[in-house]
Structures are given as structure tokens and as C-alpha cells.
Amino acid sequence: MPNSYDPDQIIRSEILALNAYHVPPATGMIKLDAMENPYTLPAALRQEIARLTAEAPVNRYPDADATLLKTALRKTLHIPDEMAIMLGNGSDEIIQIIAMAAAKPGAVLMSVEPAFAMFRMIAAFANISYVGIPLKSGFSLDQDTMLTAIAKHQPAVIFLAYPNNPTGNLFDAEVILRIIEATPGIVIIDEAYHAFADASLIDKLTQYPNLLLMRTLSKLGLAGLRLGLLIGRQEWLVQLEKLRLPYNVGIITQLVGKEVLRHADILLAQANAIKLERTKMHDELAALDGIEVFHSDANFILFRVADATRIFQELKQHGILIKNLNGTHPLLINCLRVTVGTPDENSQFILALHTILDKPV
Ligand SMILES: *Cc1c(COP(=O)(O)O)cnc(C)c1O
């Protein structure tokens, strides 16, 4: 046996080349970096969660089919009867399952750039080639370039977030439908921010045999629970289910998820409050000199400043954590992304920004 082992000799080169997904420490900070819902659940519901958790048979494996939770999701999210659903430990896990399933030698997974970073990262995990097509300067889909790239690469899978992260906009639905029609593979519409947008492609599922739709409870207020779902035809989900680890959704997630969905009105009211705050924050940002604000249909706002890295650092010194996107993509030069928080958190953010911008460099 050799007395030292070298990971470089064992681990795949694509993995060695990756940077781990970095989650910055946020203890004691106003946390506006991760699109979390800033509101907690009402006391009565938390009590009920405490009871359900206390009584949960944690010595047993959970229901591998999560039947009761799925029924609750169907009802609350108005999932068409003829569509099947598959649950994931967050929608991240669903992206991974799809990528693994499609990773034939030479297969391509396609998305746009800038987009949710996990599409590209998970392609590397699953050993499937990734092709990212740049968005146009206003973050809209570049239809001609997309259709040309689809003809050339024949992608097995395309992921499009609707609304898109980190840009916050909804793509033109007509262009998405043309992409679906032109693609030899499947198109997954990732509606993680559905609660904050007034649009969905869920009613197109029955029309397009290669369309699948992803949702998550994370941005709606249950990020810590880890529950995402894929909605689509049985013929696709039967195959993908084979790759899902049987107990990927734990019993606490099943019980608590089902209970909170009975009170979905609370989450939706919180989402509405966030939408109102989004409008307010947009206007306040737009009123500041030297800031370009982009329209958002999600629970965050993308904006451009003269020196993103300096402002990001100074906000951090004020105890406010947002996301610095400078350097992640040419379209995001000097761009910052702020999650919409509570009215108080948002005021503190705007106030800190005022102070920083008024200060000479
Ligand atoms: C946040 C986010 C997700 C991740 O959701 P989880 O369910 O928490 O894994 C998926 N897609 C997009 C576009 C996101 O922004």
C-alpha cells in the first residue's frame, strides 16, 4: 500500500477543475443574498409542526412514494391530473437526476448564460457536456442563436428558469415554445420563482410531449425543508424515478410540508407582501444616482453600480449581505443582486446604500 494517496490521480479532472459552491458566512448579518423568504410561520402553525415532529416515527424509513405529500402538492399547486410528479431533496436534486439520466457519451445539456449556476455545475457532476448560450444584452433569449445551437448540438436536455436567476426577468414565452418545438430532447422549465411572477408554463404541459416543469418550496418560505418537484408525463418520470434514491425526502419534510401546504394561503400572503416590497425597493434603487435597476418578476432585484465589489464590501461592513455578480459573466459587469427582505431589512439596505454612495471614494 502506498503511504500517500493523491486525489488528483483518482478524482475526475472535471471535478478537480470545479470550484465548490460557496455559501458565505452570514451570522449576525441582514441576509439578503439567497432569495429566502424573510418571514417566519405563525405561532399556531409552528406549534402544530412541533407536535408533528415530536410524534413522527423517525425510527422508520419514510414513505418512499411520499403519497400524502404528493396529494397535498397536487391540490395546492393545481397540477394537471394527467401529469405525474417526482419529488427531490430540493429542486437541485431533480436537476442532478435529469442530468445523470441523460448523460450518454456525447450528450449535451444546454442552458443560457447568465443562469442558475447549478445547471452548469451539475452537468459537470453528471459528466454530461454543457453548452451555455449567452442571453441578449437586456437578458432576453437570443432566439436565432438558440435555434442555431440546438440544430448544431442536438441537446438532450435544456434548462430554462422562468423567471431567470440571477437576472429576475421572465423570458418571452413564445420564444420558449419555439425552443421546445425545435429541441430533439427535453426542455425543463424551472419555475423556482413562480410565487412572485404572474406567469407559468404549467398549462403547456399537455401540449408539448418534451416539456417538463420544476417547482420548489424553497423560495416560498421553506428553504430549510428541502423540497422540490418535477411535473411531467408519466413516460419521462417513470425513467427518472429509477435514479431517485428511495428515501430522498425525509419523514419530517413529508409531514411538515403537507401541514404547511394546508396553510398555503399564509405563504402566498407572504409572497404578496414580498412583491409589494419589491416594487418599493425597485423605485428606491432607481431614484439613487449612478444605479441601473433591472425589472424583476422574482423575489430579488438585479442592479448595476459603478463599482460593485466596493459597494458589496461596504454593505458587508454595514452588516448587510447581498450577492456580488461582478466577474461571473460579461453581461453582469458591476452587477449586484439583492433579495427582497422585510420592510425593515429593505430600509436598512437602502439607507446603507445611500450612505455608501454619498461618500466620496
Ligand atoms: C434557488 C433556485 C433553485 C433551487 O431550489 P432548491 O429547491 O432549494 O434546490 C432552483 N432553480 C433556480 C433557478 C433557483 O434560483
Side-chain angles (χ1 to χ4, degrees):
M1 188 162 59
N3 56 16
S4 75
Y5 290 91
D6 183 0
D8 290 8
Q9 299 299 315
I10 301 297
I11 308 293
R12 284 192 280 134
S13 58
E14 312 88 83
I15 307 301
L16 293 171
L18 279 177
N19 291 314
Y21 189 85
H22 174 62
V23 180
T27 314
M29 309 269 287
I30 294 182
K31 195 172 184 304
L32 302 177
D33 68 327
M35 282 79 93
E36 291 146 330
N37 175 340
Y39 300 107
T40 54
L41 295 170
L45 181 50
R46 280 191 279 157
Q47 288 275 313
E48 185 55 20
I49 289 172
R51 191 189 65 81
L52 286 168
T53 308
E55 290 172 10
V58 291
N59 55 318
R60 303 290 177 192
Y61 283 106
D63 173 8
D65 295 321
T67 311
L68 297 176
L69 176 57
K70 278 188 184 169
T71 304
L73 284 164
R74 266 191 189 284
K75 183 161 165 256
T76 314
L77 305 184
H78 309 290
I79 296 170
D81 285 340
E82 60 274 36
M83 292 297 147
I85 50 186
M86 180 178 80
L87 304 186
N89 190 294
S91 41
D92 288 350
E93 191 190 34
I94 294 172
I95 301 168
Q96 188 177 42
I97 288 173
I98 294 167
M100 284 194 296
K104 288 188 203 177
V108 164
L109 184 153
M110 185 177 282
S111 189
V112 293
E113 296 278 329
F116 185 42
M118 294 312 289
F119 298 149
R120 174 198 283 274
M121 286 192 73
I122 289 174
F125 303 168
N127 212 5
I128 182 168
S129 300
Y130 175 83
V131 175
I133 306 301
L135 295 173
K136 294 208 276 194
S137 61
F139 307 128
S140 60
L141 287 171
D142 186 338
Q143 175 174 302
D144 293 345
T145 309
M146 279 298 281
L147 294 180
T148 307
I150 289 166
K152 178 175 170 208
H153 295 286
Q154 299 284 302
V157 185
I158 298 180
F159 280 99
L160 293 173
Y162 184 77
N164 189 41
N165 170 17
T167 58
N169 57 309
L170 285 163
F171 296 131
D172 182 338
E174 291 302 316
V175 178
I176 294 182
L177 297 181
R178 256 163 250 149
I179 288 169
I180 296 169
E181 284 162 12
T183 304
I186 50 176
V187 177
I188 292 93
I189 301 299
D190 178 354
E191 294 191 350
Y193 299 98
H194 170 253
F196 313 100
D198 299 313
S200 170
L201 292 177
I202 195 165
D203 58 358
K204 302 290 180 200
L205 282 169
T206 48
Q207 223 171 310
Y208 294 92
N210 61 333
L211 171 63
L212 296 149
L213 196 106
M214 211 164 51
R215 294 273 182 90
T216 173
L217 299 189
S218 294
K219 312 296 154 65
L220 200 54
L222 299 172
L225 210 55
R226 309 305 300 131
L227 185 66
L229 62 151
L230 182 68
I231 309 166
R233 290 172 191 239
Q234 186 67 22
E235 67 211 62
W236 293 114
L237 269 58
V238 160
Q239 301 305 327
L240 297 172
E241 280 282 355
K242 296 176 187 172
L243 280 138
R244 184 180 65 82
L245 299 175
Y247 305 117
N248 65 330
V249 180
I251 188 157
I252 305 295
T253 299
Q254 292 191 29
L255 291 171
V256 174
K258 174 170 151 289
E259 179 60 22
V260 178
L261 286 169
R262 286 210 308 129
H263 303 276
D265 55 315
I266 295 169
L267 299 180
L268 293 176
Q270 292 177 344
N272 270 325
I274 291 166
K275 283 165 80 176
L276 291 174
E277 276 296 307
R278 175 182 71 199
T279 306
K280 191 163 156 255
M281 198 192 238
H282 179 103
D283 295 347
E284 287 170 346
L285 282 170
L288 284 165
D289 272 345
I291 292 194
E292 182 184 5
V293 196
F294 300 97
H295 174 82
S296 171
D297 287 291
N299 63 342
F300 58 86
I301 295 177
L302 182 77
F303 61 103
R304 179 174 281 125
V305 292
D307 184 352
T309 300
R310 176 178 74 86
I311 290 184
F312 170 76
Q313 290 298 349
E314 292 201 25
L315 280 168
K316 216 152 81 172
Q317 280 155 25
H318 281 78
I320 297 166
L321 185 64
I322 65 169
K323 177 86 173 174
N324 183 6
L325 294 163
N326 188 42
T328 61
H329 190 273
L331 287 174
L332 298 176
I333 289 171
N334 277 321
C335 281
L336 297 166
R337 186 190 69 197
V338 60
T339 304
V340 179
T342 63
D344 181 52
E345 290 172 332
N346 302 337
S347 308
Q348 293 196 54
F349 161 70
I350 294 287
L351 188 67
L353 206 51
H354 264 282
T355 312
I356 293 164
L357 289 171
D358 281 343
K359 199 173 68 179
V361 187

